[in-house]
Amino acid sequence: MLNLERLRTLDALARHGSVSGAAEGLHITTSAVSQQMSKLEREVGQQLLAKNGRGVRLTDAGRLLAEHAARILSQVELAQADLEAQRGQVAGELRISAFPTAARGLFPLALPGLRAEHPALRVRSCELEPERGISGVIRGDLDLAVVLDWYNKPMPVPDGLAKASVLDDPADVALPVGHRLAGREEVDLAEFAEDEWITWGEGEFCHEWLMFTLRSKGIEPRIAHRAAETHTQLNLVAAGLGVCIAPLLGRHPMPDGVVTVPLKQRVRRHVYVVWRADADRRPSIRAAVRALQSAAERVGGDGAQ
């Protein structure tokens, strides 16, 4: 009889590609991973791991069993979801991530109500950029991730994930009060060709979107400062160090010395939540999605579509 926890360890090794990655994903030690794999090899009577430089790789038998393990674990997830649905109880643990402004703008509104309505549900939250949140859901490290894409740059949702809209989040340009365009009713991105920009970190999805959008208008961006958090960016704007894109979600309170002006392009980012499709019937998933959508209605924007 194959042990489910050992199959889970093998699945984590296949997905993460290393013992340390599997240990981190499973929240156990690397020695525990090695012990589980040694026991699994004895159970099946075949070598599942082979040395590969300073690391390990799956053998042919290991890859074959890992494919079966992924299917078995998916079926277990479906069974658990069906049992939860049959009981109709919102209980257990729910692990959820959000990108920083969503964590700031939505979690304080959504999570207290979720806890009050469902006291048997334990929610664990963290901040993660969209790509890492999606990866966490795929790996099984997270149950839900609040992610985003932009009106002109969608983020593909991998197969096997379900999603629900949370809100459409309008974004303006944030300017120092003394900026030449600060008094305008609306502006065009092309008018900022000579301005210095304050943007997100290199490689982050929102930063790549800004580069893509400005370059599509023939503007080579002049990046002066980088900051992951919207409020850090806005304080740099207040100091007169550049301009930035300021989505509505997580923007307030606005620091003194900053004004926002709408863009003619009506820039928006679409905020949504993703989870594994095989967990679709879990009442806790549905309850969390409803709580996030309710919080979005209180924040503003255009609400779930």
Side-chain angles (χ1 to χ4, degrees):
M1 180 70 69
L2 293 170
N3 179 281
L4 188 61
E5 288 308 309
R6 288 164 200 157
L7 290 179
R8 198 180 303 278
T9 303
L10 175 62
D11 177 67
L13 265 169
R15 288 186 284 103
H16 290 275
S18 68
V19 171
S20 59
E24 183 179 355
L26 294 170
H27 307 290
I28 60 177
T29 64
T30 54
S31 61
V33 171
S34 299
Q35 289 169 14
Q36 290 279 52
M37 291 305 302
S38 295
K39 291 177 181 178
L40 185 58
E41 287 183 328
R42 288 198 295 271
E43 283 178 352
V44 300
Q46 294 190 63
Q47 184 179 358
L48 302 175
L49 295 179
K51 289 189 178 296
N52 184 32
R54 299 178 66 179
V56 296
R57 61 173 177 81
L58 293 178
T59 63
D60 290 344
R63 286 194 297 273
L64 177 63
L65 186 56
E67 291 173 3
H68 284 288
R71 290 193 291 270
I72 291 167
L73 293 170
S74 179
Q75 285 299 120
V76 169
E77 184 84 44
L78 281 170
Q80 291 172 335
D82 283 344
L83 285 171
E84 282 191 31
Q86 195 273 336
R87 289 196 308 266
Q89 295 178 344
V90 179
E93 182 173 273
L94 194 73
R95 301 155 299 170
I96 181 171
S97 75
F99 58 94
T101 50
R104 176 188 177 90
L106 294 176
F107 281 178
L109 297 175
L111 300 188
L114 189 61
R115 181 173 60 185
E117 187 175 354
H118 306 288
L121 180 66
R122 300 183 306 277
V123 178
R124 301 288 180 261
S125 71
C126 65
E127 285 187 1
L128 286 177
E129 290 300 321
E131 300 95 329
R132 292 186 62 197
I134 287 176
S135 295
V137 172
I138 292 171
R139 291 196 307 267
D141 301 337
L142 295 168
D143 299 299
L144 290 159
V146 181
V147 300
L148 65 90
D149 54 29
W150 291 85
Y151 73 105
N152 61 341
K153 192 174 177 62
M155 177 179 288
V157 175
D159 292 339
L161 297 187
K163 72 174 184 176
S165 295
V166 176
L167 82 160
D168 282 338
D169 189 25
D172 304 324
V173 178
L175 315 169
V177 291
H179 192 279
R180 68 187 187 282
L181 301 176
R184 294 271 293 277
E185 291 188 3
E186 61 180 16
V187 291
D188 191 293
L189 277 174
E191 296 179 86
F192 295 95
E194 301 304 318
D195 283 271
E196 292 188 326
W197 282 91
I198 299 160
T199 182
W200 297 267
E202 183 74 37
E204 290 185 15
F205 184 72
C206 288
H207 170 78
E208 296 303 318
W209 164 79
L210 182 61
M211 300 299 98
F212 168 80
T213 302
L214 291 174
R215 286 168 179 158
S216 70
K217 294 184 171 296
I219 301 170
E220 184 54 37
R222 299 173 61 190
I223 305 302
H225 306 281
R226 300 179 187 276
E229 253 290 354
T230 296
H231 268 251
T232 304
Q233 295 183 14
L234 291 172
N235 277 286
L236 292 172
V237 173
L241 297 174
V243 302
C244 75
I245 296 293
L248 178 64
L249 185 62
R251 178 196 300 177
H252 299 290
M254 188 73 70
D256 294 335
V258 178
V259 297
T260 57
V261 181
L263 284 157
K264 291 179 181 178
Q265 293 85 358
R266 296 296 183 263
V267 170
R268 296 179 183 276
R269 57 183 188 176
H270 179 51
V271 180
Y272 54 100
V273 59
V274 300
W275 62 93
R276 292 186 303 282
D278 53 19
D280 194 57
R281 284 168 283 190
R282 286 179 60 188
S284 55
I285 295 282
R286 293 298 175 181
V289 171
R290 288 194 300 269
L292 289 166
Q293 291 173 336
S294 178
E297 291 175 2
R298 295 165 62 187
V299 167
D302 290 341
Q305 300 295 315

